[in-house]
């Protein structure tokens, strides 16, 4: 079967810093944390935790009031990111008879979906005594809301679906969209992920697992410390990121900008434990991505690690990288950007795919923030990036997503041609 090259022609992201995609990457490169202290008025006990909010995002201003009111916030974030990516790709939102888009599609990723809509409805019923809920509750709460809205707004008549596989959700969505374009099933696919992790029950559930980093107004910005000896857990957040994937020749024929290339995708299941990661499972996903891309370990100039800052997860990921890269692991640049943009659960794979693609495009790699002088001996054995590096001769890179449930996904990227 002939395999087509797959170009990235559009990138969109709702940044917790409030700027555009380039500003987002520059902030990461500088090691700037977007983590802040969240204090709510929820009863019986307010949420008080480090968190990453997209505070500058105004859904009604970006999407228009009628569309925004149809959506829960996770869908608003995803739709806004998708519009950004579509515009950057130079594609009009509306279609005509000569541009039917019958085979173009959308594959999205989310872990929580519209859970907040259901939680809000429960509060209205049980705490406020309401007998009826909004007739929009179902369509706001369904996990496939983002891909449905995207397909409607952009006239995409092909596959429209969503993946939910915890923290690997959007990496899997991107990988499956990549496969559809590469195989010839679609010329264009819009893909990515979005999540909002601020539902009261969600935060309380993660707290109960004792994997959340503590922090107050002063310490929250440095609360997430992947690979550090004193790491104390993950930091949740919200966000959305999108990519337009396009058959290379199709993109070239219409003069589209090419921001990068996806060249491989590997997936595996640990098949061992719901929450304890397996080195073997991660190794198989890494090797599958390299093989799918036709790359060898020496080709890889950067790995965006899953790196959540949990006690058990970080050393396992480094062990997997050491096994796959062998003697070359000590020269392998690795960073965990969750240290700055937080853990967006189902959107993590998408935001980190964007970071990886931008690293190759800009020939620069962001650091793991807050790590200098703190590296856990159990996480040694790779080239941890402690400060942003510019003018790096990068040709290929990997982005890791390793989820509860043992779902592993690794995406392989190649640098775009010189402009």
């Amino acid at each position: 079967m002939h395999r087509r090259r797959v170009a990235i022609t559009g990138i969109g992201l709702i940044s917790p810093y409030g700027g555009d995609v380039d500003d987002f990457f520059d902030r990461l490169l500088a090691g700037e944390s977007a983590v802040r202290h969240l204090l709510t008025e929820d009863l019986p006990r307010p949420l008080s935790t480090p968190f990453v909010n997209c505070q500058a995002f105004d859904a009604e201003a970006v999407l228009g009031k009628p569309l925004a009111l149809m959506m829960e916030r996770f869908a608003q974030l995803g739709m806004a990111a998708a519009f950004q990516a579509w515009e950057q790709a130079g594609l009009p939102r509306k279609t005509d008879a000569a541009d039917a888009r019958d085979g173009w599609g959308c594959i999205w990723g989310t872990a929580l979906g519209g859970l907040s809509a259901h939680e809000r409805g429960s509060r209205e019923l049980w705490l406020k005594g309401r007998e009826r809920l909004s007739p929009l509750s179902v369509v706001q709460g369904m996990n496939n809301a983002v891909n449905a809205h995207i397909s409607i707004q952009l006239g995409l008549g092909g596959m429209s679906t969503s993946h939910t596989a915890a923290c690997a959700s959007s990496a899997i969505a991107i990988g499956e969209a990549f496969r559809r374009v590469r195989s010839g099933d679609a010329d264009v696919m819009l893909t990515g992920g979005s999540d909002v992790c601020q539902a009261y029950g969600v935060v309380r559930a993660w707290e109960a697992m004792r994997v959340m980093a503590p922090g107050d107004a002063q310490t929250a910005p440095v609360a997430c410390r992947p690979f550090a000896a004193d790491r104390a857990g993950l930091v949740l957040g919200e966000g959305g990121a999108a990519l337009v994937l396009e058959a290379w020749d199709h993109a070239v024929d219409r003069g589209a900008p090419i921001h990068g290339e996806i060249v491989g995708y590997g997936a595996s299941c640990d098949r061992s434990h719901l929450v304890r990661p397996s080195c073997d499972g991660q190794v198989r996903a890494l090797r599958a991505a390299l093989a799918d891309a036709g790359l060898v370990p020496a080709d890889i100039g950067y790995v965006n690690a899953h790196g959540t800052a949990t006690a058990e997860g970080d050393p396992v990921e480094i062990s997997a990288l050491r096994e796959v890269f062998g003697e070359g692991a000590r020269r392998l640049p690795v960073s965990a950007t969750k240290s700055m943009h937080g853990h967006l659960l189902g959107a993590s794979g998408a935001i980190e795919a964007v970071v990886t693609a931008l690293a190759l495009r800009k020939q620069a790699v962001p650091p793991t923030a807050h790590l200098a002088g703190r590296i856990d001996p159990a996480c040694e054995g790779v080239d941890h990036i402690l400060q942003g590096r510019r003018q790096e001769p990068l040709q290929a890179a990997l982005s890791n997503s390793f989820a509860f449930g043992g779902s592993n996904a690794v995406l392989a990227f190649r640098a775009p041609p010189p402009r």
Side-chain angles (χ1 to χ4, degrees), residues 98-166:
D99 181 24
R101 304 179 184 176
D102 289 346
W104 299 10
C106 178
I107 302 181
W108 203 252
T110 184
L112 302 176
L115 185 146
S116 293
H118 298 303
E119 181 179 85
R120 186 170 59 251
S122 296
R123 289 188 179 201
E124 293 290 315
L125 292 171
W126 295 104
L127 298 182
K128 297 183 180 180
R130 289 190 59 178
E131 295 185 0
R132 297 174 58 191
L133 296 179
S134 165
L136 294 176
S137 296
V138 170
V139 295
Q140 288 177 338
M142 62 189 192
N143 277 29
N144 66 321
V146 183
N147 59 274
H149 280 294
I150 288 172
S151 297
I152 292 167
Q153 293 298 315
L154 302 179
L156 310 182
M159 173 175 280
S160 180
T161 189
S162 61
H163 284 271
T164 296

Side-chain angles (χ1 to χ4, degrees), residues 235-262:
V235 169
L236 295 175
E238 64 173 8
L243 300 170
V244 176
L245 305 187
E246 189 167 351
W248 191 277
D249 290 345
H250 187 274
V252 171
D253 287 347
R254 68 179 188 87
I258 294 178
H259 304 287
E261 182 178 3
I262 298 187

Side-chain angles (χ1 to χ4, degrees), residues 33-38 48-53 167 197-198 202-203 206-207 211-216 219-226 231-238 306-310 337-345 348 352 370:
S33 175
V35 181
R36 300 292 182 266
H37 182 242
L38 173 69
S48 176
T49 184
F51 200 82
V52 175
N53 269 315
C167 314
C197 308
Q198 197 176 326
V202 169
V203 177
W206 281 95
E207 285 180 346
V211 294
M212 293 270 285
D216 54 26
T219 62
V222 297
C224 186
R225 301 183 295 277
R231 64 190 181 278
L234 57 85
V235 169
L236 295 175
E238 64 173 8
H306 185 62
T308 57
T310 57
T337 50
K338 287 185 180 73
S339 57
M340 296 171 278
H341 58 64
H343 195 341
L344 311 186
L345 298 187
S348 290
E352 288 158 15
H370 333 307

Side-chain angles (χ1 to χ4, degrees), residues 308-376:
T308 57
T310 57
E312 193 165 24
D314 289 4
V316 171
E317 182 170 13
I318 297 300
S319 293
L321 290 173
R322 288 199 303 257
E323 183 168 338
V324 171
F325 287 85
E327 292 297 319
R330 292 193 173 275
R331 300 182 298 277
L332 177 68
V334 174
S335 70
T337 50
K338 287 185 180 73
S339 57
M340 296 171 278
H341 58 64
H343 195 341
L344 311 186
L345 298 187
S348 290
I351 196 170
E352 288 158 15
V354 166
V355 171
T356 308
L358 291 174
L360 289 166
R361 192 183 83 186
K362 294 173 177 287
Q363 297 287 279
V365 288
T368 301
H370 333 307
L371 183 57
R374 283 180 156 133
I375 299 176
D376 184 348

